[in-house]
Amino acid sequence: MKRIHLTINGLAVTGKAGQTILQVAQQHGIIIPTLCNFPGLAPAASCRICIVEVAGYPRPVPACATAAEQGMEICTDSERIRKARRMIVELLLAERNHTCPVCVMDGACELQTLAKLLGIDHVRYGFISPQMTLDISQARFGIDHNRCILCRRCVRVCDEVEGAHTWDVSGRGATSRIISDLAEPWGDSGTCTDCGKCVQSCPTGALFEKGPKKAGKGTPCLERIVEWRGRKNK
Amino acid sequence: MEELLARWQRKPDALIEILHAAQQCFGWLDRPLLGMIAQELDLPPSLVFGVASFYHAFRLKPRGHQTCTVCTGTSCHLQGGSRLLHELEQHLGIRSGTTTEDGSLTLEQVRCLGACGMAPLVRIEHEGGGTSFHAGMNRDQVVKLLQNAIRGTHSKGVPLSPVAIYGDIHKRIVLENCTGTAPAAGLYCALERAVLQMTPEEVCRQITESGLRGRGGAGYPTGRKWEMVRTARGKRKFVVANGDEGDPGAFMDRTLMENDPDRVLEGMAIAGYAVGAASGFVYVRGEYPLAAQRLRDAISRAEKSRRLGRNLFGTGFSFNVRVRIGAGAFVCGEETALMASIMGRRGQPVIRPPYPAQKGLWGNSTLINNVETFGSIAAIISRGSEQLRVLGTTDSYGTKIFSLSGDVARVGVIEVPLGTTVRELLDLAGGVTGGGFKAAQTGGASGGCIPAEHMDLPIDYESLRDIGTIMGSGGLVVLNDTRCMVDVARFFMRFCSDESCGKCTPCRAGTSQAVRILDRICGGCGSEGDLQQLEELCLLMQETSLCGLGLAAPTPVLSTLRWYRHEYLAHIRQGSCPAGVCSREAMG
């Protein structure tokens, strides 16, 4: 395998030809925050959190889907990049309903962690808070579209790893929504194998396991969500 | 249904064609039908539903007996199309895209039918097939029409007028055969010449030497693209003509495809010969059924006269073309999204590289050019590369077709040498109507404005980029001085927000937030903080979006902010619209 040499944040590093910028960075312990990227899945390059600057390129590029090349000079943490990442996370937080204190994933959520990492203490945009639905028809799991950030990890893991392709996206733009089969209740799905990979890969509390949290902190949260949703809908 | 599936040989790639055909049969696509299609094509049901719900042309709910569609393209918007839609929504008590409770009427909007001379345009479709177009409508006229239609008396309406083509005939290259007379002799002569007398390398070289640049908007050198595909490895290659003219206020491609489809097909066949491809697709926008029909007719004529098909001119070179119909998604004009759509998927762009030339349709090297680019090929081959270089400016050779609409006396299509100024274009089009010249909006939703002070700027790729707009596909909407630029910016931002595929965050969430901010400003309750936030958002989209749509979505706002910042400030500080447009429509 051909070795390539490049610099990341001024540090000279080596990688293998064919690796992405993200892979090279991770190998050398350089942290590039990611969200839609998931090890083992094809990169979607859709969340735009992992953008980095490459000298000579007109725009930042997503590290998860850009091949590292010989001689690249990469900057992963400039003021410009930090600002863009902060805005993107704020946009995600304002887009649907991310109310951490009543979320099953509070404390284990990647979006929340990212927001903390980027020092987001307020959101400058107006909260859109659309009234999305909650589907708990499946025996073991549930999906709360209010928490979904449309990263499509569940769609990819179901298609690429499990091979079931139960999930896909319906609609487009801001009205995009994750659907199972013909936009039917998850519990009625004929293709779902009940494997739970989608739940494992979800970065937020959109896909969750029913019942009490097995490990760590937290309380039975499903009841709390349903109760909270019921109150809100009144 | 069985017959229909058999016609497409149960190919999963033909999903969009099958959905089109199924909708034509049954009126709308219900779940059992989609389930059956999924089963028959051996596709996951969620994928089929995802595709059907992505494209606006597919109806997942039954339609009413009548469907009233209001055009809200740029010209129609300026002439009150958006207001008309809003008034109809209020009158009927339903939202656009829904049906009245008694099932008698469906109200819809469409982003430009490419008939900007008839603004505001309304289309009424009756159950059972009849379709009529009505030009220059207002609320009362539409209501009356609909009432009559419900009683059973259908108004004939006006024919969807053929577009006026003007400009010096001797300076035309692409539209030289569009003279209203019978097709000139010598159809497919250039193809014959290329195939019989030239090698593929020579064809590529001639295109490179001509200096032709992509006419779809970005202006990438065509010769270089062909060379990339020609030298790419792989047995199968494809040629795709992009006729998904989605920009509101653009109808050049429609004019070309309707009036001279052979020219496009000939260009594609020459490209096929040059790059080593044996099959091609023309992707036609779903809103242009006539263009698709004429292309199909032209293909069958050419196949009969052995100008397309197998073993052309006895050389063993084969080339066949198929027409693919879009289904109402602007983003499919982006090349990776277009390819996804041809392959029967959601029209979502994917990251480049790999470019289509490296990895395109079904993983094969693919050449994608705009139909107008293909329209220029025949002339270059038959007349030589110097012919193009005589016209145009130093970096932008040849001619460009513009579609002029908006506040202009003669709405139509014009082919002029690059480097022509806005003033000259306006003179040819009979001048501005309804007031003085304020701006010319170029490049549709991805472009910006040429303000009055730059009226004498020669239009070419570089000069437009320098003043913060783009050539785009060639739509040019003239705005007179009674127009509000903030309203225009909001119109385009809404368009982008509606048309965003929803894949990447900056475009999906960024455009929604930008629309909210612009709504506030137009409604007179914006603040100067809003303006700063808007600029920040625009820069974010411009830097971090995934595809061309998202990257260019903020251009109309940034361009109007550059030239007409005082109008934004007037909205914010005085809480009123200097042109008096926004106060009338408020949040409409």
Side-chain angles (χ1 to χ4, degrees):
Chain A
M1 186 59 92
K2 204 179 139 201
R3 295 204 81 78
I4 49 170
H5 304 266
L6 53 155
T7 53
I8 302 182
N9 299 340
L11 198 76
V13 295
T14 55
K16 288 187 212 128
Q19 278 185 316
T20 64
I21 294 176
L22 182 66
Q23 285 166 338
V24 176
Q26 280 172 344
Q27 249 173 27
H28 292 84
I30 298 162
I31 295 166
I32 300 176
T34 58
L35 200 53
C36 72
N37 186 65
F38 196 71
L41 297 183
S46 63
C47 72
R48 316 307 279 181
I49 291 294
C50 70
I51 49 168
V52 294
E53 282 182 296
V54 180
Y57 284 38
R59 284 184 294 274
V61 294
C64 68
T66 308
E69 281 167 32
Q70 173 69 30
M72 265 185 173
E73 284 174 46
I74 296 160
C75 175
T76 66
D77 201 24
S78 66
E79 185 52 44
R80 178 188 180 203
I81 294 287
R82 269 200 300 274
K83 196 176 157 199
R85 283 186 189 141
R86 216 160 31 225
M87 284 172 78
I88 292 169
V89 173
E90 282 182 51
L91 282 173
L92 284 173
L93 289 169
E95 191 180 21
R96 290 201 176 168
N97 201 326
H98 297 282
T99 321
C100 299
V102 290
C103 178
V104 276
M105 285 291 274
D106 185 21
C109 167
E110 288 183 37
L111 183 67
Q112 189 187 38
T113 313
L114 197 58
K116 273 187 211 156
L117 184 81
L118 295 167
I120 294 171
D121 49 10
H122 71 287
V123 174
R124 72 192 93 174
Y125 308 111
F127 287 96
I128 296 177
S129 305
Q131 286 279 311
M132 309 292 284
T133 50
L134 177 72
D135 179 356
I136 47 167
S137 57
Q138 220 275 353
R140 288 169 56 204
F141 312 111
I143 179 166
D144 183 355
H145 294 285
N146 291 287
R147 307 274 191 256
C148 178
I149 55 168
L150 295 168
C151 69
R152 291 146 214 241
R153 281 193 196 176
C154 52
V155 177
R156 283 177 285 154
V157 81
C158 188
D159 177 48
E160 295 170 23
V161 182
E162 181 64 10
H165 204 121
T166 300
W167 299 112
D168 209 311
V169 185
S170 78
R172 71 185 191 209
T175 55
S176 300
R177 200 167 69 90
I178 301 292
I179 51 161
S180 55
D181 286 0
L182 297 167
E184 291 155 323
W186 191 2
D188 299 344
S189 167
T191 55
C192 177
T193 58
D194 204 19
C195 73
K197 289 190 181 70
C198 50
V199 179
Q200 296 298 318
S201 65
C202 182
T204 67
L207 283 159
F208 53 86
E209 195 165 351
K210 290 181 185 175
K213 260 192 187 174
K214 299 231 165 53
K217 57 188 171 156
T219 47
C221 286
L222 181 66
E223 284 79 0
R224 270 166 67 191
I225 298 178
V226 175
E227 187 195 359
W228 178 74
R229 296 277 313 155
R231 255 196 319 230
K232 204 172 168 208
N233 284 342
K234 257 172 212 163
Chain B
M1 193 68 217
E2 188 58 37
E3 187 189 319
L4 197 154
L5 286 161
R7 193 186 340 146
W8 294 102
Q9 297 158 6
R10 291 189 160 72
K11 276 192 189 149
D13 298 334
L15 175 59
I16 292 176
E17 316 303 292
I18 291 168
L19 290 175
H20 266 304
Q23 178 162 291
Q24 217 159 34
C25 258
F26 301 100
W28 63 290
L29 304 166
D30 62 358
R31 284 216 173 95
L33 183 64
L34 288 173
M36 183 195 152
I37 292 174
Q39 203 171 16
E40 290 289 334
L41 299 180
D42 203 14
L43 286 170
S46 59
L47 189 145
V48 174
F49 192 89
V51 170
S53 60
F54 181 84
Y55 296 98
H56 282 181
F58 298 130
R59 288 183 292 274
L60 301 170
K61 285 187 189 125
R63 275 213 292 190
H65 300 302
Q66 325 280 336
T67 304
C68 172
T69 312
V70 182
C71 177
T72 49
T74 319
S75 285
C76 292
H77 172 77
L78 292 174
Q79 308 294 345
S82 306
R83 193 167 64 242
L84 172 66
L85 182 72
H86 187 61
E87 285 172 355
L88 285 174
E89 279 181 338
Q90 283 182 330
H91 178 82
L92 298 165
I94 51 170
R95 306 234 4 159
S96 162
T98 58
T99 306
T100 50
E101 262 177 34
D102 59 354
S104 64
L105 182 82
T106 304
L107 186 66
E108 283 177 354
Q109 68 167 327
V110 61
R111 298 292 193 174
C112 202
L113 286 164
C116 302
M118 299 162 73
L121 182 67
V122 172
R123 179 177 69 192
I124 298 179
E125 289 162 283
H126 313 288
E127 205 173 42
T131 301
S132 59
F133 294 92
H134 306 273
M137 286 284 113
N138 62 33
R139 193 194 82 160
D140 296 339
Q141 286 169 311
V142 177
V143 169
K144 207 172 155 206
L145 274 173
L146 292 172
Q147 278 167 351
N148 286 343
I150 289 168
R151 271 193 239 110
T153 41
H154 297 172
S155 162
K156 266 199 174 144
V158 287
L160 200 60
S161 60
V163 175
I165 304 171
Y166 43 92
D168 187 350
I169 185 88
H170 302 295
K171 285 188 181 160
R172 289 194 203 163
I173 289 180
V174 183
L175 296 175
E176 64 179 348
N177 290 339
C178 303
T179 48
T181 52
L187 231 46
Y188 294 94
C189 268
L191 174 65
E192 195 173 346
R193 187 188 145 100
V195 173
L196 293 178
Q197 298 172 18
M198 295 166 85
T199 63
E201 292 82 19
E202 280 169 358
V203 177
C204 282
R205 197 175 328 126
Q206 188 146 351
I207 300 299
T208 310
E209 278 167 10
S210 76
L212 178 66
R213 296 171 67 174
R215 297 291 191 239
Y220 190 80
T222 308
R224 204 184 297 168
K225 211 183 221 177
W226 285 32
E227 200 61 44
M228 268 166 76
V229 181
R230 190 182 71 75
T231 51
R233 278 194 219 142
K235 251 189 170 170
R236 287 181 79 195
K237 289 175 188 174
F238 292 95
V239 172
V240 176
N242 183 349
D244 188 56
E245 182 176 51
D247 270 333
F251 42 92
M252 310 69 53
D253 294 353
R254 174 190 154 210
T255 312
L256 176 62
M257 290 186 288
E258 286 181 6
N259 288 298
D260 198 359
D262 290 295
R263 186 115 303 216
V264 179
L265 299 172
E266 185 178 11
M268 289 176 71
I270 296 172
Y273 175 70
V275 302
S279 53
F281 292 97
V282 193
Y283 189 90
V284 184
R285 190 171 173 233
E287 284 82 352
Y288 295 166
L290 185 64
Q293 194 49 48
R294 292 204 173 153
L295 277 162
R296 283 202 191 102
D297 293 346
I299 291 172
S300 58
R301 269 200 314 271
E303 279 173 351
K304 268 196 197 111
S305 59
R306 310 211 42 80
R307 294 293 182 261
L308 284 176
R310 279 162 183 267
N311 192 16
L312 297 176
F313 310 106
T315 57
F317 165 65
S318 305
F319 193 76
N320 63 62
V321 181
R322 271 167 287 175
V323 176
R324 283 285 161 104
I325 312 281
F330 172 65
V331 69
C332 287
E334 202 276 342
E335 54 186 20
T336 56
L338 187 148
M339 291 193 306
S341 181
I342 288 181
M343 294 187 284
R345 297 283 178 273
R346 289 165 60 86
Q348 280 178 177
V350 290
I351 188 164
R352 298 179 304 181
Y355 288 92
Q358 301 158 318
K359 201 176 167 206
L361 286 174
W362 299 284
N364 300 298
S365 176
T366 304
L367 174 74
I368 300 190
N369 276 139
N370 184 266
V371 288
E372 193 188 332
T373 316
F374 283 122
S376 317
I377 301 298
I380 297 172
I381 297 297
S382 54
R383 294 197 243 154
S385 55
E386 297 75 30
Q387 281 295 321
L388 204 62
R389 287 194 168 242
V390 179
L391 301 168
T393 60
T394 41
D395 281 323
S396 310
Y397 302 105
T399 60
K400 173 82 192 89
I401 312 180
F402 291 98
S403 59
L404 285 150
S405 62
D407 301 315
V408 64
R410 293 165 65 199
V411 173
V413 161
I414 184 165
E415 182 173 359
V416 289
L418 283 159
T420 307
T421 65
V422 175
R423 194 186 297 278
E424 287 163 355
L425 277 175
L426 280 176
D427 287 345
L428 286 166
V432 185
T433 55
F437 176 79
K438 184 172 194 176
Q441 207 280 338
T442 67
S446 314
C449 293
I450 305 176
E453 57 259 44
H454 285 289
M455 257 180 108
D456 292 312
L457 184 86
I459 301 177
D460 62 37
Y461 293 99
E462 272 68 34
S463 66
L464 287 187
R465 199 190 50 210
D466 292 344
I467 62 162
T469 177
I470 58 162
M471 174 85 79
S473 50
L476 208 136
V477 183
V478 178
L479 306 169
N480 69 26
D481 50 18
T482 66
R483 304 301 179 191
C484 168
M485 301 312 282
V486 187
D487 178 62
V488 170
R490 177 175 66 155
F491 165 76
F492 283 116
M493 191 51 84
R494 270 200 186 155
F495 176 84
C496 287
S497 176
D498 287 348
E499 294 296 335
S500 165
C501 79
K503 186 173 176 181
C504 76
T505 320
C507 177
R508 183 188 68 232
T511 51
S512 318
Q513 289 290 352
V515 167
R516 285 164 73 102
I517 295 173
L518 284 164
D519 275 344
R520 277 207 293 276
I521 295 176
C522 286
C525 40
S527 66
E528 296 198 21
D530 277 336
L531 207 56
Q532 192 201 342
Q533 216 173 72
L534 183 66
E535 275 183 302
E536 277 180 1
L537 260 178
C538 286
L539 291 174
L540 178 81
M541 282 187 257
Q542 214 173 32
E543 286 209 317
T544 61
S545 295
L546 193 153
C547 81
L549 186 145
L551 294 171
T555 320
V557 173
L558 288 173
S559 170
T560 47
L561 268 172
R562 177 168 168 185
W563 304 110
Y564 305 98
R565 199 181 187 90
H566 55 275
E567 288 192 20
Y568 282 85
L569 290 173
H571 281 80
I572 290 166
R573 290 187 186 146
Q574 279 99 46
S576 68
C577 173
V581 174
C582 298
S583 43
R584 243 187 296 142
E585 306 191 356
M587 301 299 279

